[in-house]
Amino acid sequence: MLHLKRILLVTLLLPSFGFSQEEDVQAGKALFNANCAACHQLNRKAVGPALKGVTEKYDREWLYKWIKNGTQMIKDGDPQAVAIWEEYNRAVMTNYPQFSNEQIDNILAYTNYTPPAPAAAVATSAETVSQGSDISVNIILAVTIVIFTILIVMLFLVQRTLIKIANASGVKIEPEPRRNIKPLWKAVVENQFIMFVLVIGFLLSSAYFTYGYLMQIGIDQGYAPIQPIHYSHKIHAGANQIECKYCHSSARVSKHSGIPSLNVCMNCHEYIGEYNGEEDLENGYTKDFYTNEIKKLYSAVGWDEENQVYTGNTQPVKWIRIHNLPDFVYFNHAQHAQVAKIECQTCHGPVEEMEILYQYSPLTMGWCIDCHRESNVDKDNEYYQKVHEELSKKYGVEKLTVAQLGGIECAKCHY
Amino acid sequence: MRNSSILILFIGLTLISCFDPSKPNFQYFPDMYESLAYETYAESDGFSNGIEAQVPVEGTIPRGWEPYDYPDSNEGYEMAKSNLLSPLDISDNNLSQGKELYEIYCSVCHGDKGDGMGILAQREKFLGIPAYIDREITPGSIYHVLMYGINAMGSHAGQVNEEERWQIAQYVMKLREESKK
């Protein structure tokens, strides 16, 4: 479906390219994305000013000079150059002496370019496609229903003709006489053996379910609270392949993995102000929905998008904690993620596919112990070399499990 | 008999349907489950801003931390570029540490090879990331950029400590050398 949409989009857009002016724009776009986009956006202020309409603000020669060597112009005291330089807190724009005038023309052509609005066309065609698939399902349903009704009607007809034939050939079909039998349930209740088996079965199964219910008390497997910002691991760690530790950076060195502070988010989101990725329409996650969530992040860190400055007006984001061991257990991330080199996904499940994060493992004592019984210790770790050697000798084994290292002693986890 | 089994079935169903994934489960005598001490990042009324995690008092210096004297300005950047030298020797250990850290913190944008084509650039989410080869950089300037950030790149000082920053800088210089070839 999505595939289809993209192909449609491409085919719809393709015819509009191919003119030489469009080629300039394409070349300009490539140059712009590679060189200027870090600091300039077309329609909004970023590190530098918005570039849409800049050709009207200055004359061409000035722009050539500025882009090739703006620093020199500022030094020489060109009034326009100094004015914009002061306005942007004396931020230095990179010089591009390597560009030819034509290349700069291309870039400027791109900054003035308004793409023809294909949005409406794409939307309708996408709709027809989606209706198309619905229709085909509906058609299949209707056809099967018709076939079944025809079959039923035919059965009746056949029965009727059969009876007619039987009548005609003189065979009498007598309806079976109704005997006076006991209803089934009464028979069952009166049969002691069946009752006995049923009662036992009932007791056993209710004991089973009660036990199951009691044993899951206090276990939050599957817990997925609604977070104050709809932050999606599927988009960040999945589609955009951001490393877990980019955000959960203390997992390398401490007990806690930690939730990233908002300045980490802003490393990317000062730049990424709106969402343009894939949508999930079934759940109502549209682009607008996602963009709105990014705005929530902005209001929490106090980022004024319009002027690209921090207002200093911040609020903490109240993330709801999901994984939480009881207070009497000690668990350390660095020991597992860094020392034992266990992938985060072993314990936290397929996080990169989770739109909303949930608790994947039960986090019971049995779960910890099972893994400690089965896992081997990484014996290349220099820090523990001596301990590992002595223990190997003591147990007479090549590979040590965590349990042999003492990973199932109560005091390792409870103190 | 029949009625009671329906009743039990009903109770069972309500118990099962009680499980709402957006709410935590019941707990049985959670006396020692919830910490009396403040939990990491929790809310707390012990402080005026209501948060447990506090910023260190101004002027405090953690043990082993060295102040960084170059200011966050164009002049500071130029000064760091020419004067600031790495305290680490170039070694395989530092380089492999640097590689590991680089691939966590920098690859998304700068790419594994330092050519500016990380996954975010490929997907056109974050544009204009330079290849290291196109910039005049020194270990000192890389360290400075990691401390304060530069233009569209943010500071990474909160994610990597001093030694780790130098290890990354060493590895970036190695990538730059390699891409010259």
Side-chain angles (χ1 to χ4, degrees), chain A residues 2-149:
Chain A
L2 270 169
H3 244 50
L4 265 180
K5 236 193 245 175
R6 219 177 285 142
I7 294 167
L8 267 170
L9 224 165
V10 172
T11 46
L12 275 167
L13 286 179
L14 266 181
S16 58
F17 294 134
F19 305 110
S20 70
Q21 187 216 350
E22 301 285 346
E23 270 166 17
D24 288 352
V25 169
Q26 285 306 302
K29 182 180 178 190
L31 283 172
F32 180 87
N33 282 351
N35 295 290
C36 324
C39 303
H40 290 289
Q41 296 274 337
L42 292 184
N43 296 315
R44 64 179 173 88
K45 195 168 153 178
V47 176
L51 283 192
K52 186 148 227 143
V54 68
T55 43
E56 279 140 43
K57 196 166 153 195
Y58 305 102
D59 64 62
R60 268 296 142 124
E61 285 307 316
W62 189 92
L63 283 171
Y64 291 151
K65 242 166 91 187
W66 168 259
I67 290 164
K68 283 181 185 165
N69 198 346
T71 328
Q72 190 61 40
M73 285 172 86
I74 294 167
K75 262 193 204 143
D76 294 346
D78 180 290
Q80 276 177 310
V82 171
I84 190 78
W85 183 57
E86 292 288 348
E87 192 187 325
Y88 279 81
N89 292 324
R90 311 191 160 205
V92 179
M93 175 167 143
T94 326
N95 296 324
Y96 297 93
Q98 73 271 29
F99 281 174
S100 68
N101 285 358
E102 262 145 44
Q103 280 174 316
I104 293 178
D105 280 338
N106 288 348
I107 296 176
L108 294 176
Y110 173 63
T111 63
N112 276 340
Y113 175 72
T114 343
V122 171
T124 47
S125 59
E127 233 162 67
T128 45
V129 171
S130 71
Q131 272 173 0
S133 60
D134 283 355
I135 284 173
S136 61
V137 171
N138 283 346
I139 288 178
I140 293 172
L141 268 180
V143 169
T144 35
I145 288 173
V146 169
I147 290 178
F148 273 109
T149 34

Side-chain angles (χ1 to χ4, degrees), chain A residues 175-181:
Chain A
E176 266 183 53
R178 281 194 162 261
R179 271 179 284 144
N180 196 9
I181 43 166

Side-chain angles (χ1 to χ4, degrees), chain A residues 144-158:
Chain A
T144 35
I145 288 173
V146 169
I147 290 178
F148 273 109
T149 34
I150 291 178
L151 276 179
I152 290 169
V153 170
M154 270 162 63
L155 273 179
F156 271 108
L157 288 179
V158 168

Side-chain angles (χ1 to χ4, degrees), chain B residues 37-72:
Chain B
Y38 295 138
E39 290 222 48
T40 330
Y41 308 126
E43 274 182 275
S44 122
D45 38 21
F47 299 98
S48 59
N49 62 356
I51 312 176
E52 181 265 344
Q54 294 290 310
V55 185
V57 177
E58 218 174 300
T60 44
I61 293 180
R63 279 185 96 173
W65 184 80
E66 280 183 30
Y68 183 69
D69 288 333
Y70 296 88
D72 180 13

